[in-house]
Amino acid sequence: MKIETSQIAQLPSRFGTFKIQAFKEGHKEHLAIYKEPLADIPVVRVHSECLTGDAIGSLKCDCRDQLEYALSAIEKHHGMVIYLRQEGRNIGLLNKVNAYSLQDEGLDTVEANHQLGFDADERTYEVVEHILNHFNIKKIKLLTNNPKKIESLEGIEIVERLPIVTLSNEHNEDYLKIKKAKMGHLY
């Protein structure tokens, strides 16, 4: 896997002052956001892009709440968020909006992806190990509810899984239930 790496830059934010570094994998550009000095065994969140949630504040998902929780945690514990450009569980923005339309007609998130010809979750995580190795990180405390992320990090020792618990709302309550029931998410 050929990955191009950017320089390191400062990122002052409302969550703290972080360092950032980009990693270009083919046409996708991912980001490592971290607090120095990194802990010996850092808290790490692997977060997939969600334009509607992260940037616009959609109430249909819990992505923004999870990202903000993670940014607060890495500020406090000197950890890292790896922001992966895998919009809509890696089906892209156009297909994600089409899946939203199918959800408006009564399908759940998994059924909508299947209707469009995709697996429930098309994301991959190979680049995560590359990024962690770049920072010489071999052991982490993984901030996730997704068992697929745990299983995918074969070359990294996960010493602890830390759950992300966010509040539901009337717009994402069923979505959160489906993630647990059909995708095996933990809480």
Side-chain angles (χ1 to χ4, degrees), residues 44-59:
V44 174
R45 166 74 181 158
V46 177
H47 188 86
S48 294
E49 174 184 31
C50 176
L51 178 67
T52 53
D54 296 344
I56 302 170
S58 170
L59 298 175

Side-chain angles (χ1 to χ4, degrees), residues 29-64:
E29 296 176 316
H30 311 292
L31 189 65
I33 307 157
Y34 59 98
K35 179 70 174 186
E36 285 192 320
L38 281 167
D40 290 338
I41 302 176
V43 171
V44 174
R45 166 74 181 158
V46 177
H47 188 86
S48 294
E49 174 184 31
C50 176
L51 178 67
T52 53
D54 296 344
I56 302 170
S58 170
L59 298 175
K60 292 181 93 158
C61 64
D62 60 341
C63 299
R64 183 178 188 157

